[in-house]
Amino acid sequence: MDIGYISVLLFGSMFLFLLLGLPVAFVLGGLATVFTAIFWGPESLFIIVARTYSMMSTTTLVACPLFVLMATVLERSGVSEDLYDMMYRWMGSLKGGLAIGTVIACTLIAAMSGIASTGVVMMGMMALPAMLKRGYDKRLATGCILAGGVLGPLIPPSIALVLYGTIAQVSIGALFAGGMSAGLLCSVLIIGYILIKCHLNPEMGPAIPEEERADWGAKMKSLKGIFLPMLLVFSVLGSIYSGIATPTEAAAVGALGAIVCSALHGRLTWKLLRDASYATIKVQGFMMWILFAAQAFAAVYMGMGASRMVVGLVKEYQVGWWTMLIGIQVVWFLLGFVIDAWSILMITSPIILPLLPIYGFNPLWLGVLYAVNTQTGYLTPPFGTMLFMMKGIAPKGITMGDIYRSVIPFVITQLVCLALCIIFPPLITWLPSILFN
């Protein structure tokens, strides 16, 4: 059968089953198995086993469970409480200051965890009630937490960038440096939006009353809340950028550092370690099933001639550089409405990676664009996972409709960040070029 018809049948079946609500891992793995047996015979099923074994032996993936463990321990350690208290004291006197402080806190939490849910859960439980109590618009309060929280998959240590670097054979340290630049740019744009919005409509983010504002002594005392987070960030990222440790070794440093932070806060117990370990196993198991299934899916599709078809179509229709780049971004963005970032990478990489030498795309730059683009998927309905997580922790009075509407301006802000990174590639590549030549 022609590869064009196979592509329609394969991807049509995939989207049909996903829309029916079947788990991504079972859909991808099941289709890979069925199509392999039908087109190549049952004796060819060893391809799936071989591809899975190859993925299991990739040592860089060891960093993923360690980063997840670091995030789950931090979530229970009390570090975020001191961090938010510091932001509250320093930023509360500004219009929109609590929202700005929340975004800054989320940015620091992202640099400690690399996972979107960590910042959303922490700030949703602490910052959201504080902002609502002081008269903040509920959509602004909810939206800023969601927008800041989803910086986790972009700002290193980002598991999404670890997976991309493993598949595309790109330096993970360099990807982390590029992700840091893009993540800080996105954070600045979010803060800029809040400042403008609260300047035009002060009632949306009123400053805290003067009698509640901290004096300079209390502000300086609160700075201790940022010491441990910054020490942890520098120990993880600094060891990578300085060449002292590989990303996998740095992940181990981060996991140990999170346990030490928890001990210093008096929260380290066997129950905490047990719960954090269980949560890590659940997340990592979910991730690895997707990786195994998607690798099998990719192997089957590539073996049927997908790369030759894509290259042939590109040459036949003479698709331009900008057209192809924008097309890739649109596909990633639309897929973010229905599946998670990890699945998007695994599904599209067999088609996109062969195009890199043809169009001369910088794989590091494209990888960070992938992270910037797909982080919006955590906020876009109908399957934006952070939206449902926020609903689960939001106080009464905040409806699902409020949450959906709250993220619209912040999704636009993230798309502006994506556009800037596309138009000005040095925004991503300048830091990796300095640190990694």
Side-chain angles (χ1 to χ4, degrees):
M1 184 183 293
D2 181 74
I3 183 61
Y5 294 114
I6 293 176
S7 299
V8 172
L9 184 60
L10 187 61
F11 284 94
S13 301
M14 180 190 73
F15 284 114
L16 173 62
F17 289 129
L18 288 176
L19 290 174
L20 290 175
L22 274 68
V24 173
F26 295 160
V27 171
L28 296 179
L31 287 175
T33 303
V34 170
F35 273 69
T36 299
I38 291 175
F39 287 96
W40 294 334
E43 65 276 3
S44 62
L45 291 174
F46 77 91
I47 295 174
I48 295 176
V49 178
R51 197 62 181 260
T52 302
Y53 181 80
S54 176
M55 175 61 70
M56 290 176 64
S57 61
T58 305
T59 56
T60 53
L61 289 179
V62 177
C64 294
L66 291 172
F67 282 138
V68 174
L69 178 62
M70 181 175 73
T72 53
V73 171
L74 282 173
E75 190 174 327
R76 298 161 170 81
S77 68
V79 172
S80 59
E81 296 172 10
D82 289 346
L83 180 61
Y84 182 71
D85 179 66
M86 188 271 292
M87 293 299 173
Y88 173 83
R89 294 177 185 273
W90 280 87
M91 308 299 295
S93 58
L94 298 175
K95 294 175 182 177
L98 293 183
I100 294 171
T102 298
V103 174
I104 296 174
C106 284
T107 303
L108 291 173
I109 291 171
M112 291 188 290
S113 68
I115 298 176
S117 60
T118 307
V120 172
V121 171
M122 289 180 175
M123 291 298 104
M125 296 177 68
M126 291 184 296
L128 184 56
M131 285 189 279
L132 294 176
K133 180 181 177 182
R134 286 160 179 81
Y136 269 64
D137 178 81
K138 59 184 178 182
R139 295 179 187 172
L140 177 66
T142 305
C144 73
I145 293 171
L146 289 166
V150 298
L151 294 176
L154 174 58
I155 294 179
S158 164
I159 294 176
L161 291 178
V162 172
L163 296 179
Y164 176 87
T166 302
I167 294 170
Q169 297 297 299
V170 180
S171 165
I172 294 174
L175 283 168
F176 277 5
M180 178 66 73
S181 303
L184 292 177
L185 172 62
C186 195
S187 180
V188 168
L189 290 174
I190 294 170
I191 292 171
Y193 167 77
I194 294 172
L195 281 171
I196 294 172
K197 190 72 174 178
C198 292
H199 176 74
L200 298 176
N201 300 286
E203 68 279 1
M204 295 191 70
I208 62 175
E210 195 161 338
E211 62 272 14
E212 293 186 27
R213 297 177 187 178
D215 57 26
W216 279 103
K219 287 183 178 179
M220 298 305 294
K221 186 178 180 180
S222 70
L223 287 176
K224 67 179 183 180
I226 203 172
F227 175 73
L228 285 178
M230 295 308 298
L231 182 62
L232 184 59
V233 170
F234 283 126
S235 65
V236 175
L237 301 184
S239 60
I240 297 174
Y241 297 155
S242 63
I244 297 174
T246 66
T248 303
E249 294 164 343
V253 171
L256 177 61
I259 293 173
V260 171
C261 289
S262 180
L264 292 175
H265 277 77
R267 300 285 186 89
L268 184 60
T269 62
W270 284 114
K271 183 178 184 301
L272 183 147
L273 290 176
R274 182 193 64 199
D275 293 346
S277 299
Y278 285 164
T280 300
I281 292 171
K282 287 173 63 177
V283 172
Q284 187 64 21
F286 162 75
M287 182 194 308
M288 294 309 296
W289 272 113
I290 290 178
L291 290 180
F292 294 155
Q295 279 290 303
F297 185 90
V300 172
Y301 191 49
M302 293 284 283
M304 292 180 177
S307 296
R308 293 190 300 273
M309 178 193 71
V310 172
V311 173
L313 290 174
V314 166
K315 291 181 177 179
E316 179 180 355
Y317 293 101
Q318 297 182 344
V319 180
W321 191 91
W322 277 104
T323 302
M324 180 57 66
L325 178 62
I326 300 301
I328 291 172
Q329 302 307 316
V330 170
V331 169
W332 279 342
F333 180 73
L334 293 178
L335 286 176
F337 281 77
V338 291
I339 54 177
D340 60 88
W342 302 335
S343 302
I344 292 172
L345 173 64
M346 304 305 293
I347 290 170
T348 59
S349 58
I351 301 173
I352 292 174
L353 292 182
L355 300 175
L356 298 185
I358 298 176
Y359 286 92
F361 293 140
N362 182 337
L364 186 150
W365 173 62
L366 193 67
V368 177
L369 291 183
Y370 150 76
V372 176
N373 191 327
T374 55
Q375 70 170 334
T376 62
Y378 292 99
L379 301 181
T380 49
F383 300 119
T385 52
M386 294 303 105
L387 303 178
F388 301 111
M389 186 169 291
M390 175 58 73
K391 177 58 180 172
I393 60 178
K396 291 183 179 180
I398 296 181
T399 66
M400 203 67 208
D402 292 327
I403 295 174
Y404 280 153
R405 287 187 287 271
S406 73
V407 298
I408 294 174
F410 294 101
V411 169
I412 294 173
T413 302
Q414 290 176 333
L415 293 178
V416 170
C417 178
L418 177 64
L420 290 173
C421 291
I422 290 174
I423 298 170
F424 305 105
L427 290 173
I428 291 175
T429 58
W430 71 274
L431 187 58
S433 66
I434 293 173
L435 297 176
F436 297 92
N437 193 25

